[in-house]
Amino acid sequence: MDLEYLAVSEDLPDTAKGLIITGLTADSRKVQPGFLFAAFKGASVDGARFVPNACASGAIAVLCAEDAAAHLRESCPENVIVIGAKEPRQVFAKMAARFYGAQPDTIVAVTGTSGKTSVAHFVRQIFQAAGHPAASLGTLGTIKPDGENYGGLTTPDPVALHKELAELEAEGVNHAALEASSHGLDQYRLDGVRLTAAGFTNLGRDHMDYHASIEDYLQAKLRLFSELLPVGGTIVVDPAEEYADRVLAVAEKRGLAVFTVGETGRDLKLVDLKPSGTGQILSLQTERGEQNVALPLIGRFQVSNALIAAGLAIAAGVDSDAVLRALENLKGAPGRLELAGRTRDGGLVFVDYAHKPDALDNALAALKPFAEGKLSVVIGAGGDRDPGKRKLMGAAAARHADLVIVTDDNPRSENPASIRKAVLSGAPGALELGDRFEAISEAVRRLNAGDILCVAGKGHETGQIIGETVIPFSDHEAVTRAISLEGKS
C-alpha cells in the first residue's frame, strides 16, 4: 500500500512518493522486506534501539517520536523514510486501519473497570439473536458466530486488531463488540476503529501500577467517548454509577446522543428487580411501556452489565423488543460467576474472575442471598501488579464471607508469601494455604448442604504464572478434581 496514503496527515519527503509498504509492525523481529517499523518509546525499552535490526531485515520506513526523528534520519540507510510524529502510537493505529481497510459495518465498544468482558459477550449474543453474524473481541479472545474462540488480550495491538477486523468482515461478520481497556485507550490501540456506540460500566481501583492516579485512569477511559466515538455515535451509561457524570459531561460537550439505563436511567429504566431461582425478574420502563424480562443470571452487577449491553445493541439499531427477548437467553461469560461444581451434599462452587476489590465485592454480594448456609471464598492477588489493592481484596472477602482462604494467584516475580501477607492484613482470621489446589480442596472439603464457595481471581484462565513460567492450572479443573477426591461428586 502507498506510504502517502497510510501517512496521509504526516509530512513526507519527496522520496516517499510511490513507496509501497507491504506490512506494519512494532516488533523488529517481525519485520520483512517492504515493512514500516514503528519504534515506540516504552517504560523500560526504547524501540529506537531496534531500528538497525529492522532496517537490516528490510524495513523501508520507520515511524518514531518527533524528538527521535533527526537522529534516526542520520543513522538509517538513505533509502529508509523516517517519519517523526507527535503521537506515533496514534499515527500507527490509524495507519493500521488504512492498511487493512475493511471492518464490520457495526462496531460497539465498552470500557470500565469491571464488566467489560460480560458486556461484550452479551452484546455479541444479542446481535446474533437478532440475526446479525457477530463477534466479540477482548479478554476471552475473539469469539466468532460459530463459537470459535482464539487469542485473548483485552485490547489487542493495532495491527492485530485491524487485521482481525478485516478478516471478520471478509468472513461475513457485520457486527462486533470490543472491550476497551485503559491500557489500550491510553496507548491508542483502538484509534481507527469505526464505532457506532460506546458504553461505560463503572470505575473502581485497578491498574495503579500503570496509571499515576484514579484521575489518570479515568482520563484514559474517557478517551473512548471524547476522541474515538465519532459525532453521530451514542454513549450508553447508567447515570447512577460513580463517575458516570464525567462521561455524561463529555457527551454534552460534544453533542453526542446518550442512552441511559438502570434505576435512574431514562431509556431502559429499572423499575423493579426480584430474584427467581438462579435468575432475576427485571421490570423495565421502556419507550413501549413497562416490560418484564427474566434474566437467567444472578447478581445485581449482572443486571447492570445486561442493561448496558442491551443499550449498546439498541443504539446500534437492533429493535428494542428483540433485544429484551434476547436478554432472557443470555449465557454468562466463562469464568464470570460460573457454576463450576456441585457436591453430593448440595454445596455449590462458583468460579469468578474477580481480581479487583470492587469486582470481588460484587461477586460475593451476588452469591450471598443464594447461600442457605455459609459463604466461603478462596482469593489471592497478582504479583507485579498494584500492591495497594491487596489489603482491599482481603477486606472485601472478609465483609461478605464466613470463611476466607488466602492463596496464591499469579505471583509472577514477587515472593508469594509477601503477597498473601498483604491480603491477610485485610482479612484477620483468614486461613492461609499457599498452594492453590490445596486451598480449593480445603474449601470444598468444608462445604455442607446449602453452602456456597466462590473461587475468585483467575476465572477462565488456564495457567498460573510463577516467576517467568506459566504452569497449567484451571480453577474449573481444580474444583472438579477436589470434589471428586472428597467423594462428594
Side-chain angles (χ1 to χ4, degrees):
M1 185 169 289
D2 196 304
L3 179 59
E4 288 182 299
Y5 172 73
L6 290 179
V8 64
S9 61
E10 307 304 312
D11 290 331
L12 297 175
D14 291 340
T15 51
K17 290 186 182 297
L19 199 64
I20 301 300
I21 299 297
T22 59
L24 310 170
T25 185
D27 185 341
S28 63
R29 295 166 297 183
K30 296 180 180 179
V31 171
Q32 296 179 33
F35 269 43
L36 178 144
F37 172 61
F40 299 137
K41 185 176 291 186
S44 57
V45 178
D46 188 345
R49 288 174 45 194
F50 304 104
V51 169
N53 293 340
C55 292
S57 296
I60 59 174
V62 172
L63 173 67
C64 62
E66 287 177 334
D67 59 3
H71 169 70
L72 289 177
R73 288 190 184 105
E74 291 180 0
S75 59
C76 283
E78 290 185 3
N79 66 315
V80 175
I81 303 297
V82 176
I83 307 167
K86 183 178 180 181
E87 295 289 357
R89 291 181 184 273
Q90 185 175 37
V91 171
F92 185 62
K94 292 181 177 180
M95 283 182 172
R98 295 188 190 103
F99 186 85
Y100 289 103
Q103 299 180 16
D105 294 334
T106 301
I107 303 177
V108 303
V110 58
T111 195
T113 300
S114 300
K116 296 186 296 298
T117 298
S118 290
V119 170
H121 194 66
F122 295 161
V123 173
R124 177 181 52 79
Q125 293 178 59
I126 296 170
F127 281 157
Q128 291 200 195
H132 303 293
S136 56
L137 295 83
T139 306
L140 298 177
T142 296
I143 303 179
K144 294 184 177 184
D146 61 4
E148 184 180 351
N149 184 330
Y150 55 89
L153 290 174
T154 307
T155 308
D157 72 83
V159 172
L161 175 60
H162 287 287
K163 182 174 185 288
E164 186 70 38
L165 292 175
E167 290 175 349
L168 289 170
E169 193 274 343
E171 294 171 12
V173 173
N174 53 32
H175 283 61
L178 308 178
E179 294 181 49
S181 68
S182 62
H183 291 69
L185 290 164
D186 186 58
Q187 296 171 13
Y188 303 100
R189 294 184 215 161
L190 277 86
D191 285 61
V193 176
R194 298 187 287 273
L195 298 174
T196 299
F200 175 79
T201 57
N202 49 62
L203 194 89
R205 183 190 177 100
D206 198 19
H207 301 306
M208 291 298 103
D209 53 314
Y210 178 88
H211 297 286
S213 64
I214 289 289
E215 179 62 27
D216 182 61
Y217 179 41
L218 174 62
Q219 287 299 325
K221 298 286 189 187
L222 290 178
R223 278 203 71 237
L224 179 61
F225 313 104
S226 62
E227 299 181 36
L228 272 66
L229 186 65
V231 173
T234 300
I235 292 177
V236 180
V237 65
D238 181 343
E241 288 289 347
E242 190 174 5
Y243 298 106
D245 58 325
R246 300 286 295 276
V247 177
L248 292 169
V250 171
E252 183 177 3
K253 181 178 180 180
R254 295 191 61 210
L256 297 173
V258 173
F259 189 103
T260 56
V261 305
E263 293 175 348
T264 62
R266 179 185 66 250
D267 302 286
L268 280 181
K269 182 179 179 64
L270 182 63
V271 178
D272 192 25
L273 176 64
K274 295 177 181 177
S276 176
T278 55
Q280 303 171 82
I281 303 297
L282 283 57
S283 294
L284 300 171
Q285 186 65 44
T286 75
E287 61 178 6
R288 297 177 181 175
E290 188 165 322
Q291 300 185 53
N292 290 333
V293 172
L295 185 71
L297 303 165
I298 64 174
R300 178 63 181 81
F301 71 98
Q302 286 287 46
V303 173
S304 179
N305 291 338
L307 292 181
I308 293 292
L312 285 168
I314 293 171
V318 181
D319 178 76
S320 61
D321 284 344
V323 169
L324 297 185
R325 286 196 300 271
L327 293 185
E328 299 198 330
N329 294 297
L330 288 184
K331 292 180 172 58
R336 274 66 179 174
L337 273 193
E338 185 177 5
L339 181 60
R342 186 189 305 265
T343 70
R344 183 171 296 172
D345 291 343
L348 300 179
V349 185
F350 289 82
V351 167
D352 193 77
Y353 191 50
H355 55 280
K356 295 160 279 197
D358 291 350
L360 185 61
D361 253 326
N362 288 333
L364 295 179
L367 290 172
K368 198 161 190 174
F370 293 89
E372 297 174 3
K374 294 181 178 180
L375 175 64
S376 55
V377 62
V378 172
I379 63 162
D384 300 333
R385 298 294 186 267
D386 174 21
K389 72 177 182 181
R390 295 169 187 172
K391 181 177 181 178
L392 300 178
M393 291 287 289
R399 263 195 301 277
H400 298 282
D402 301 292
L403 170 66
V404 178
I405 300 181
V406 176
T407 189
D408 293 342
D409 190 294
N410 292 319
R412 298 184 176 88
S413 69
E414 287 194 61
N415 182 333
S418 298
I419 299 173
R420 296 196 302 271
K421 182 178 180 181
V423 177
L424 286 162
S425 69
L431 180 63
E432 179 182 8
L433 287 171
D435 183 281
R436 193 170 181 88
F437 178 71
E438 287 185 12
I440 292 171
S441 295
E442 179 63 21
V444 167
R445 187 185 69 78
R446 296 186 181 214
L447 285 176
N448 294 306
D451 291 350
I452 288 180
L453 164 64
C454 178
V455 180
K458 296 182 64 58
H460 63 284
E461 293 179 354
T462 57
Q464 186 177 26
I465 307 172
I466 300 175
E468 295 183 357
T469 303
V470 179
I471 297 173
F473 191 94
S474 161
D475 281 352
H476 290 79
E477 292 177 2
V479 168
T480 300
R481 182 181 168 205
I483 291 176
S484 176
L485 290 174
E486 285 299 316
K488 294 183 178 183
S489 58

